[in-house]
Amino acid sequence: MSKLDVTITDNRVMDGQFGDISFAGWGIECSDRHSFVTLTDIARNAHNTGDIWHLSGGRLKIDLKTHLVAPRCLTVSASFTALDDIMLQDAVIRFVFAKTGIDHGIIADQSFKHANSDKYRLYPVRQAELVSHANHRAVLTLTRSDGAGRFDPYLYLRDRDDHWIIHARLLPSGPVDHVWLRWANRFFTLSAPDWVAKRLWRIGPVRRFLWRLRERRGRHYPEIQAVPLNRLKAGQTLGMEVTCHFH
C-alpha cells in the first residue's frame, strides 16, 4: 500500500510523492492587466510585503493554507482580498505534477496523454484527475469557490514540458468590465485600442473565438487572445478550496 509523503512549508506544498506520482511547487497566481503574481515563477510588476501584494492596479491580501487532513488527502485553500479597487484577469490555485509516472490526465470526461501541447484544457467543472502507470490516482476536486458575484470557477489540465499542471481558476463572468485584446511575442506586446476590443467582444462568435485563444490552442498558436477583466472592489474577496485525494 502506497504512502503519501509530502513536505509543507509556510502553507505551501514544496514536494511530495505517492507511489509513482511525484509533485512539487504548488502555489497561487493572479493577474491584472500589467502585473503577474506567482509563488513558483518570477512575478512581473508585482512585489509583496508578507501576504500583501502590490500590483500595478492595486493591492491584494493573499492568504494560502494547506493541510494534510487524512493520510492520503490534502486540502489547499486560497483567498484574494482587494485592499483597493482592482481589475483582475483571474485568481488561481496551482498544482504541478511531474510528467514521469503519469500515464494520462482526465478532465470533463475526456482523457489526454502528455504531448507537450501547452494547451489549457479549460472547463467549468469541479474535478480533474491524473492516473499513473501503476494506476495510482490524484483526484483534485474544487470543493468551494466564491467569485464575489463577478468571477466563475473553472479547472484546467495542461501538459507542458516535463509537467502536468492543474489550475483551479476564477475567471471574469459577463458582463465583463474590460477586455484586453493582445498579441504578444518574446520581443513586445501589442494591444488593440480598448474601443476596438469592446466592439469585437460584443459579437458572440468573435468573442467565443478570441476568448483566451492562445491558451486553448496551445504552444504552436500565435500569442493572440482576448482576456476579460472584472473589477474587485476594495473589501471584496475571491476564494477557493481544492481537495486532492490520492488513491
Side-chain angles (χ1 to χ4, degrees):
M1 182 177 292
S2 294
K3 177 180 180 292
L4 175 62
D5 292 312
V6 61
T7 301
I8 300 171
T9 304
D10 294 331
N11 272 300
R12 286 184 58 206
V13 167
M14 307 307 292
D15 58 71
Q17 189 82 31
F18 181 81
D20 52 347
I21 298 176
S22 58
F23 51 96
W26 294 6
I28 53 89
E29 294 179 352
C30 67
S31 303
D32 63 12
R33 180 160 174 168
H34 301 290
S35 301
F36 172 60
V37 170
T38 178
L39 298 179
T40 57
D41 202 343
I42 299 173
R44 295 193 302 271
N45 298 322
H47 67 276
N48 67 306
T49 306
D51 57 1
I52 307 297
W53 281 85
H54 301 257
L55 289 74
S56 63
R59 296 170 302 153
L60 287 174
K61 182 178 184 295
I62 303 178
D63 186 31
L64 174 67
K65 289 186 170 63
T66 302
H67 300 287
L68 182 65
V69 295
R72 297 185 178 190
C73 182
L74 291 160
T75 297
V76 183
S77 62
S79 63
F80 304 76
T81 301
L83 302 182
D84 309 294
D85 288 5
I86 186 170
M87 300 279 282
L88 290 179
Q89 293 186 39
D90 61 1
V92 169
I93 303 179
R94 176 180 173 88
F95 304 87
V96 182
F97 295 81
K99 168 186 168 183
T100 305
I102 302 296
D103 181 72
H104 63 280
I106 301 171
I107 192 169
D109 298 321
Q110 300 175 71
S111 178
F112 300 96
K113 294 283 190 176
H114 197 293
N116 195 22
S117 72
D118 202 29
K119 290 182 179 179
Y120 295 45
R121 297 179 176 91
L122 179 69
Y123 298 94
V125 297
R126 294 277 174 169
Q127 188 167 292
E129 182 174 349
L130 294 172
V131 182
S132 79
H133 297 294
N135 206 34
H136 294 303
R137 294 171 181 261
V139 181
L140 284 81
T141 306
L142 181 60
T143 53
R144 179 180 59 82
S145 63
D146 180 359
R150 300 306 318 282
F151 292 77
D152 290 331
Y154 292 79
L155 292 182
Y156 83 48
L157 177 69
R158 180 180 176 195
D159 55 330
R160 178 183 182 182
D161 300 331
D162 294 328
H163 299 95
W164 286 95
I165 302 169
I166 295 175
H167 277 192
R169 201 176 192 192
L170 288 168
L171 297 177
S173 54
V176 301
D177 293 324
H178 183 76
V179 180
W180 181 22
L181 179 57
R182 71 188 188 214
W183 171 46
N185 58 43
R186 61 178 177 162
F187 302 109
F188 54 81
T189 297
L190 294 177
S191 300
D194 290 345
W195 67 268
V196 172
K198 187 175 182 179
R199 286 190 179 182
L200 289 174
W201 188 257
R202 289 173 178 169
I203 304 170
V206 176
R207 178 175 65 249
R208 289 188 289 273
F209 174 73
L210 290 175
W211 181 71
R212 300 190 171 275
L213 178 62
R214 158 58 178 85
E215 294 181 359
R216 294 185 289 109
R217 294 297 178 89
R219 70 167 64 251
H220 300 299
Y221 205 82
E223 188 78 41
I224 299 171
Q225 58 184 1
V227 178
L229 297 94
N230 272 352
R231 180 175 292 101
L232 194 65
K233 296 181 180 179
Q236 289 186 312
T237 297
L238 304 178
M240 290 177 287
E241 181 182 84
V242 178
T243 300
C244 183
H245 288 272
F246 293 89
H247 303 279

